Structures are given as C-alpha cells and as structure tokens.
Amino acid sequence: MAAESGDKWILTVTAQTPTNIAVIKYWGKRHEELILPINDSISVTLDPDHLCTTTSVAVSPAFTHDRMWLNGKEVSLSGDRFQNCLRELRSRASDVEDEKKGIKISKKDWEKLRLHIVSFNNFPTAAGLASSAAGLACLVFSLANLMNVKEDHSKLSAIARQGSGSACRSLFGGFAKWIMGKEENGSDSIAVQLADEKHWDDLVIIIAVVSSRQKETSSTSGMRDTVETSMLLQHRAKEVVPKRVKQMEEAIEKRDFPSFARLACADSNQFHAVCLDTLPPIFYMNDTSHKIISCVEKWNRHEGTPQVLFSSFVFATVLFKSII
C-alpha cells in the first residue's frame, strides 16, 4: 500500500509470520557468522492466529536512517544479523512502481533509501517460543514483498537463516525441514516444506508457558559453549540425528502419531542432556516443566501407547495430541 505524507511519499507492507516448534532440534553451529547448523532439524509451524509476529515495514525518502521498534521499544539495527539480512535483501531488490501514487523506485535506489520497521510478538519474547525465528522470518518476508524480491521461499529462507537459524523454517506452514547443507558459503543450507498445514489437521498443540522471563543463557552463547565442550553433541549430530530425521519424515508422511511422539520426546530429552553435558551446564527447564513431562510419561505408560507428546524448550513445554 502506498500513501502520501506531505510532499513525501511512503510505501508500506505488513505481514504476519507464525513461530515454529522443533520436534527434531537444531542446537549447535558449524559456522557462527553464516549460522550453519551441525545437523538437520524438523519443525511444526503453529497457527498464526494464535502465536505470530506482525511486522510493518516502510520506506520513504523522508527517512534519514534505518530504524526498528520491537513490542513498542526501539531496538538497534546495528547488529551483524540484521545487517546481513538487510544487505542480502537490498542486493536482490527489483524495481517497484505504484502508478496511482506516482511512486517509482528503481533497483539501485534501494541501496540509499532507509527503512522503518515496527514488529510485535503476541507471545513472550526470549522464553523459548522461537520469538527471534518468527521475528526474523517476518522481517525478511515483509521486506522481500516491499522490495519486490523475486525469490521463492526456500531462497528467502537462506536469508532469514542469517538473522536467526530457526527463522528459515517459519517461512513455511505445516511441517518444515532445515537442511544443514554442505557448502561452505551456506548456499544449500535452506528450509523446505515437508507437508502443508492441512496434512495433519487433527494434530492439537498446547503451549504451556511455565515462565515468561528471559532465559539466563542465550541460545547463541549456549550453542557456542555446547559445541566447544560437549562430546555428546558430536555423537548426536553424527550418529543420532541423521537416522532420527528420516524416521520423523516417515512418521509425518504417514501421520503415525506413536512414532512421531516417541521421536519428538526422545529428541527433546537428548537436547536437554546435551545442554547438561555443556561446561558450564545449561539449565533450560524448571520444576514445572519436569512435572508436566512426568505426567505425560505416566499417562502414556498407563495407556500402553503414546497419547500425548512433549517437546520442552526454555520456559515452555509444548504438548501434541492427535484427536483421532
């Protein structure tokens, strides 16, 4: 949408992007700057009507520098991750024209035009619900639309990945896989959709937020410490995850809930085991998380087959159940 602002024009785009919940988790990078993971991961994208980021981006010759507001507070855009995304998108921008408003932006203009970005999460930030993933995915998607970037979602995911690793998966609905890739430049580290949001529409997801405070150890520093100190992480990445990813893809394709549940619970437990194997150890669960997991395990054992699964994060435990 374009609108006049005095004698200066302004062009805006608004988008919503949901968060995603990893059922085969990403933890650890093989390249810090490019955010290249040491293993593949698989996630479920949540309903944007419930958990999402809403981002409005605007461009105008009246803007003197790039600015961003998150949840009502201005934040710095000077960090490498934001700058990497902005640089990649500006280099891919195309001509934009709005004949009704008399606005015409050429490809070369995007390098000098400044942006204003307003973003809002409708869920706790930094509490383990992939707020940065939803936020960076929404930022990349909305800017790509504003700048008329002619790339498909997988190619855009490689840009979003440079802002937040898990963001690449939030560009897809349903079930998504982040392929770790092998190229040193990260060109093949992209996300792909395994199944759309209608594939398993009887899968119910419950989010139990057991604390809304920010985590003491950030994901970035936690991953770095784990890569440097955990022998269990190396075993997980090389021996466990490749097999588990194939099994999870098959479970999703067949909508095999018992297999899906066993794999997701095992991966969640191993993620926290890897965190505890880090020096110093990282604690991403509290007593309430442990009680929820204990109840799930007791219920499933009583029924003889998985009725519900858990995937525990920092201060949230996510429960999945098939209503069939």
Side-chain angles (χ1 to χ4, degrees), residues 169-298:
R169 299 188 309 243
S170 274
L171 285 169
F172 297 92
F175 297 84
K177 176 182 178 181
W178 178 10
I179 301 169
M180 63 177 289
K182 296 180 179 179
E183 297 296 331
E184 292 185 2
N185 64 3
S187 59
D188 58 346
S189 184
I190 61 172
V192 296
Q193 188 179 60
L194 298 176
D196 65 24
E197 57 273 16
K198 297 179 181 178
H199 172 70
W200 204 342
D201 55 6
D202 58 350
L203 192 66
V204 176
I205 303 172
I206 302 170
I207 311 290
V209 179
V210 297
S211 176
S212 61
R213 67 185 180 89
Q214 291 196 358
K215 52 199 172 190
E216 293 180 4
T217 305
S218 71
S219 297
T220 299
S221 62
M223 286 188 202
R224 186 181 302 117
D225 290 344
T226 302
V227 169
E228 292 175 355
T229 65
S230 173
M231 293 181 65
L232 179 57
L233 179 69
Q234 305 306 321
H235 172 72
R236 165 178 163 77
K238 294 177 182 178
E239 303 296 335
V240 179
V241 173
K243 297 175 184 176
R244 195 170 277 170
V245 163
K246 291 180 181 178
Q247 293 169 341
M248 182 61 83
E249 288 185 68
E250 185 176 344
I252 292 170
E253 182 182 1
K254 296 180 178 179
R255 290 178 291 184
D256 178 355
F257 186 78
S259 295
F260 181 78
R262 293 187 186 101
L263 289 164
C265 289
D267 205 72
S268 176
N269 288 337
Q270 191 176 69
F271 159 65
H272 289 286
V274 162
C275 289
L276 290 174
D277 191 48
T278 301
L279 187 66
I282 304 168
F283 302 95
Y284 277 155
M285 288 197 291
N286 59 21
D287 289 343
T288 305
S289 306
H290 291 131
K291 289 177 181 178
I292 293 172
I293 291 171
S294 179
C295 288
V296 169
E297 292 290 358
K298 289 176 181 177

Side-chain angles (χ1 to χ4, degrees), residues 9-11 57-61 63 105 110 113-116 146:
W9 56 261
I10 182 170
L11 192 66
V57 294
V59 62
S60 171
F63 298 159
I105 305 172
W110 287 110
L113 285 169
R114 301 300 99 188
L115 302 161
H116 283 187
L146 179 71

